[in-house]
Amino acid sequence: MQRALDLASLGLGRVSPNPMVGAVIVHNDTIIGEGWHQQFGLAHAEVNAVNSVQNKELLVESTIYVTLEPCSHFGKTPPCADLIIQSKFKKVVVAMLDPNPLVAGKGIQRIREAGIDVEIGILESEAKILNKRFLNFIEKKRPYVILKWAETADGFIAPALDAAKEAKQISNNLSQLLVHKWRREEDAIMVGMNTLLHDNPHLDARLADGFKQPVRITLDEKGAISGNYNFFDGKLSSIVFNYQKEEVEGDIKYLKLGTKQEPLLQLLTRLYGNGIGSVLVEGGSKLIARFLETNLWDEARVCTSGKTFGTGIVAPILRKPIQEKFELETDCWKVMLNCPHPKCA
């Protein structure tokens, strides 16, 4: 099963809002086939694993290990439960059930009714951690929200707003590369209006290889953003949440928010409706503070550098257990979760 989980992880940044799934086929303690869900809309892990087996006659005496319950419905591809039944596997081992109401035990039921032995729950916690974005998307009906910021050793997230661009960089070059890799792994990247106006960021992942670029998002509550920024360069899909208009201009979507409900909740609901499964929120301090205040976040990645500013914009204070900690030369990164999560216990 661990091999199946490793294969599934290769789908990060490629299959959203679908889950990452891996499958391994074993005959007489030997792996004879394996596969993973490689891209949204393409063949599922079970299909790729079965297709990789050279001698299909061995399937009737084989066990297939799958990280997620095989689907039982027609979507962009046929049901994988049917493929498993047609292949006449001896046994199916599943890490976790699929919380999607379209599946939710139906795949397991169908396989068992066909007379195939099914075992559930092997490395279940690991499978849930791997698919935290998918589980969040199904259960909370909103994207998985990751807050990311860098702060100085003396607790500032930025110098004065009118400081030179070079003076605003807190993290080192290795951390910058890591952040661009993270951008490739998520569906969207978001900054607040002040960050867009004062820093004019590209909000792309040009420093890292990957399958796709994230959708760029900002919240313009005052209608103050014009088109003279990198955000509007037409190179990437972008979304401007605002209170004035709902329209599409080239690669820019303007999505109008109502005035009677929390804007961030509306924003996340609209992103869910657009199939965006995860958002990396990179600032600024006011936007991050609003996500923290409304508790509409799932993970925080915080970099503390050796630099000091002495004065500036104070970094958010987050009192959560540290789940992961690592160093990149002079930078120290901490990862914290905001959930009743298997890894939090």
Side-chain angles (χ1 to χ4, degrees), residues 130-147:
L130 176 69
N131 269 317
K132 58 190 178 184
R133 295 165 182 81
F134 171 70
L135 292 174
N136 188 88
F137 193 77
I138 295 295
E139 295 168 359
K140 297 182 180 179
K141 292 182 170 49
R142 66 163 175 81
Y144 188 83
V145 176
I146 302 170
L147 307 180

Side-chain angles (χ1 to χ4, degrees), residues 298-330:
D298 303 288
E299 182 175 331
R301 301 173 184 177
V302 182
C303 171
T304 302
S305 81
K307 292 183 178 181
T308 58
F309 282 165
T311 184
I313 301 172
V314 177
I317 297 176
L318 189 56
R319 304 188 188 283
K320 290 284 184 180
I322 298 172
Q323 303 300 320
E324 183 182 357
K325 188 175 182 179
F326 60 92
E327 293 182 357
L328 290 176
E329 293 182 344
T330 55

Side-chain angles (χ1 to χ4, degrees), residues 10 22 25 27 33 43 170-171 274 290 314 333:
L10 298 175
I25 299 172
H27 179 266
I170 296 174
S171 57
N274 279 268
R290 288 180 69 172
V314 177
W333 282 93

Side-chain angles (χ1 to χ4, degrees), residues 58-208:
L58 298 179
L59 295 179
V60 297
E61 290 297 326
S62 299
T63 297
I64 183 169
Y65 292 81
V66 188
T67 59
L68 184 72
E69 175 184 2
C71 61
S72 56
H73 66 290
F74 280 88
K76 291 185 177 295
T77 60
C80 291
D82 289 355
L83 173 65
I84 288 173
I85 294 170
Q86 293 163 9
S87 301
K88 299 181 180 179
F89 279 99
K90 182 179 180 179
K91 184 175 181 179
V92 179
V93 181
V94 178
M96 61 174 285
L97 295 176
D98 190 337
N100 187 337
L102 294 173
V103 185
K106 300 182 183 71
I108 296 298
Q109 180 182 359
R110 185 179 298 184
I111 294 170
R112 280 178 170 162
E113 288 176 348
I116 298 174
D117 183 23
V118 179
E119 184 177 357
I120 306 170
I122 305 301
L123 298 186
E124 180 179 19
S125 294
E126 290 83 349
K128 288 183 175 179
I129 292 170
L130 176 69
N131 269 317
K132 58 190 178 184
R133 295 165 182 81
F134 171 70
L135 292 174
N136 188 88
F137 193 77
I138 295 295
E139 295 168 359
K140 297 182 180 179
K141 292 182 170 49
R142 66 163 175 81
Y144 188 83
V145 176
I146 302 170
L147 307 180
K148 191 281 299 180
W149 72 85
E151 60 186 47
T152 61
D154 53 352
F156 294 99
I157 196 172
L161 288 176
D162 58 355
K165 186 174 182 178
E166 296 75 18
K168 294 181 179 181
Q169 182 170 327
I170 296 174
S171 57
N172 61 34
N173 291 335
L174 280 179
S175 289
Q176 294 293 315
L177 290 173
L178 176 63
V179 169
H180 277 244
K181 176 180 176 294
W182 284 344
R183 290 177 179 180
R184 290 281 189 181
E185 295 173 352
E186 310 308 333
D187 289 347
I189 177 173
M190 182 178 182
V191 296
M193 184 181 68
N194 285 337
T195 298
L196 195 153
L197 293 175
H198 293 283
D199 294 351
N200 193 22
H202 289 276
L203 300 182
D204 59 18
R206 63 192 178 278
L207 301 182

Side-chain angles (χ1 to χ4, degrees), residues 201-204 216 227-238 251-252:
H202 289 276
L203 300 182
D204 59 18
R216 302 180 291 196
N228 298 320
Y229 294 91
N230 292 321
F231 188 94
F232 300 93
D233 61 14
K235 295 180 180 179
L236 300 175
S237 296
S238 304
D251 289 321
I252 311 295

